[in-house]
Amino acid sequence: MRLCTLRPHVRRTWTVELRPQRGGPMLYCPLCTSDGHALLAPAAQPAVLAHLAQHARHEPLPAHLRTCQCHERGCRWHPRHRGCAGPVLLVLTRERGGRLWRLSDICTACASATPGSAVVPDVSPTPPSAKPATSPPKARRARVPRGARPELRVRDMLSYLAAALPWPVSAEARLIALQCALRASAPGLAVIHAGLLRAMRLAHSPAPWNELEQARWLCLLPDHLSLQRPGGVAVRLLDAAVHYQEPARRDRLHAAGWAMRVVTQPELRALPAEARLTALTLTAHHYSGTGWCTSVETDRLLRTCALDRSRLAAALDLLVAVKAIATWTVDPTTEDLHWEPPPGSAFPAHEVS
């Protein structure tokens, strides 16, 4: 007699479609209901991200069981490349001008080749209904061991923000959003201190915060909820995908501090935010996960920094002028951007082990 174990299938690809209607877009999810959900136009993208994040939280799968869903479908989501390689990531993809959104497990190679894709900070496998009060005190205080380097965490978060935030959102707002996402607690609360904002040259204008509010990515909390930290800004993040991040918050704070130190280097402080965000993105991509590299896909850099080619070139020229990088070129065949650190520099700056 043959014995077999039946394991229920766990879905690791979720798709949501936004269909334009006269009264506002309709959200259609083939897994939930045949009837769509009416949305207000400004709230459409946050609703899509929250819906996909809810599916991912409710259908967790251990990392060693996750496979590249793109490969299982014949790699039809991207142009041909050399094949699957690298760790399996949770990837958000935007297609058809924002009408179709897909969240799926994809290997690193396929994710890099997929247009309009961004790595999503992994969602917590712990069900929301779990009761931590029943755990022993030592288990509640146990810290998840440090895994990926802070460069990789910052790179993945910048990639995700490229998809989660509308294109017009400025570099100043993206730098603030990065700090909020990495410093947020599990309920999505974050306090950004005035000293950090001053160090990043972002303390004197409410415009970046207004941009993030208008994009419905966060909401500012009243002063009395600022946890009694004078001069700080308290926010609640409305992006569901960053509420349940792994790993432990202490590791994310480590990555946030690394990002802050990079953009506050003496040679970068006086530069516009676009140049500082470009420098941070290059520095985060300098560590590839398997070694050091000085190249990145130009399209990915443009999406991450929300720049067109002329503004990106201007930002790179500024980095050359202050000797943050030595040179930069774009390969005419692959369209990859290559740069060189200045001679004698410890690149990436302020590296943290």
Side-chain angles (χ1 to χ4, degrees):
M1 181 177 66
R2 176 181 296 179
L3 298 177
C4 65
T5 301
L6 296 180
R7 181 177 60 87
H9 173 71
V10 178
R11 181 184 299 273
R12 295 299 297 177
T13 297
W14 307 275
T15 304
V16 166
E17 184 179 0
L18 286 178
R19 298 180 184 176
Q21 303 289 340
R22 177 173 296 181
M26 299 285 290
L27 186 151
Y28 285 87
C29 176
L31 299 177
C32 296
T33 176
S34 58
D35 299 328
H37 301 282
L39 303 172
L40 297 176
Q45 183 168 319
V48 166
L49 299 178
H51 191 91
L52 291 173
Q54 182 180 20
H55 278 301
R57 290 198 305 272
H58 291 168
E59 300 180 75
L61 193 65
H64 68 281
L65 295 178
R66 292 164 61 180
T67 59
C68 180
Q69 300 297 304
C70 179
H71 177 73
E72 293 187 3
R73 289 162 175 77
C75 287
R76 64 173 185 265
W77 294 339
H78 55 75
R80 294 182 61 183
H81 64 91
R82 294 182 180 178
C84 288
V88 175
L89 309 170
L90 191 62
V91 176
L92 176 70
T93 306
R94 178 178 180 269
E95 295 183 353
R96 302 179 191 173
R99 293 181 58 187
L100 184 68
W101 296 77
R102 180 176 61 247
L103 185 63
S104 182
D105 283 344
I106 304 179
C107 73
T108 303
C110 288
S112 299
T114 303
S117 66
V119 177
V120 176
D122 211 350
V123 295
S124 170
T126 303
S129 60
K131 298 181 179 179
T134 60
S135 302
K138 290 185 178 180
R140 290 202 304 270
R141 292 194 298 266
R143 176 173 171 263
V144 178
R146 182 176 297 171
R149 299 170 62 99
E151 297 96 323
L152 296 180
R153 302 200 195 287
V154 171
R155 186 188 68 186
D156 289 348
M157 184 58 72
L158 286 172
S159 176
Y160 173 70
L161 292 175
L165 295 174
W167 178 272
V169 171
S170 67
E172 292 90 341
R174 292 174 187 274
L175 289 172
I176 288 176
L178 174 67
Q179 291 294 324
C180 289
L182 292 175
R183 296 175 184 274
S185 61
L189 299 175
V191 176
I192 307 300
H193 298 288
L196 187 148
L197 293 173
R198 285 194 297 270
M200 297 176 64
R201 299 297 193 268
L202 300 172
H204 303 295
S205 175
W209 300 99
N210 294 336
E211 289 183 68
L212 295 174
E213 272 202 306
Q214 291 172 4
R216 297 180 182 270
W217 193 80
L218 59 73
C219 66
L220 296 173
L221 296 180
D223 292 340
H224 69 278
L225 295 179
S226 62
L227 305 185
Q228 298 180 353
R229 293 182 172 91
V233 180
V235 299
R236 181 184 298 277
L237 304 187
L238 304 179
D239 188 335
V242 300
H243 287 193
Y244 300 92
Q245 296 177 71
E246 293 289 346
R249 185 167 179 253
R250 182 174 177 180
D251 288 336
R252 291 189 281 108
L253 292 174
H254 186 67
W258 179 87
M260 188 272 293
R261 288 189 291 273
V262 170
V263 300
T264 56
Q265 298 174 83
E267 61 268 28
L268 299 179
R269 288 177 185 171
L271 296 184
E274 290 182 352
R276 286 182 283 141
L277 178 59
T278 302
L280 175 60
T281 305
L282 293 179
T283 308
H285 279 80
H286 187 62
Y287 183 75
S288 65
T290 57
W292 302 105
C293 66
T294 54
S295 65
V296 63
E297 300 93 335
T298 303
D299 288 344
R300 184 173 295 273
L301 185 60
L302 292 170
R303 289 198 307 270
T304 301
C305 300
L307 300 174
D308 56 31
R309 290 182 180 270
S310 62
R311 290 164 62 194
L312 176 61
L316 291 169
D317 288 341
L318 283 176
L319 296 181
V320 172
V322 299
K323 299 182 180 181
I325 60 175
T327 60
W328 67 274
T329 58
V330 176
D331 189 305
T333 303
T334 63
E335 294 192 353
D336 287 351
L337 185 140
H338 300 267
W339 76 93
E340 293 294 335
S345 69
F347 197 92
H350 300 283
E351 180 184 345
V352 180
S353 61

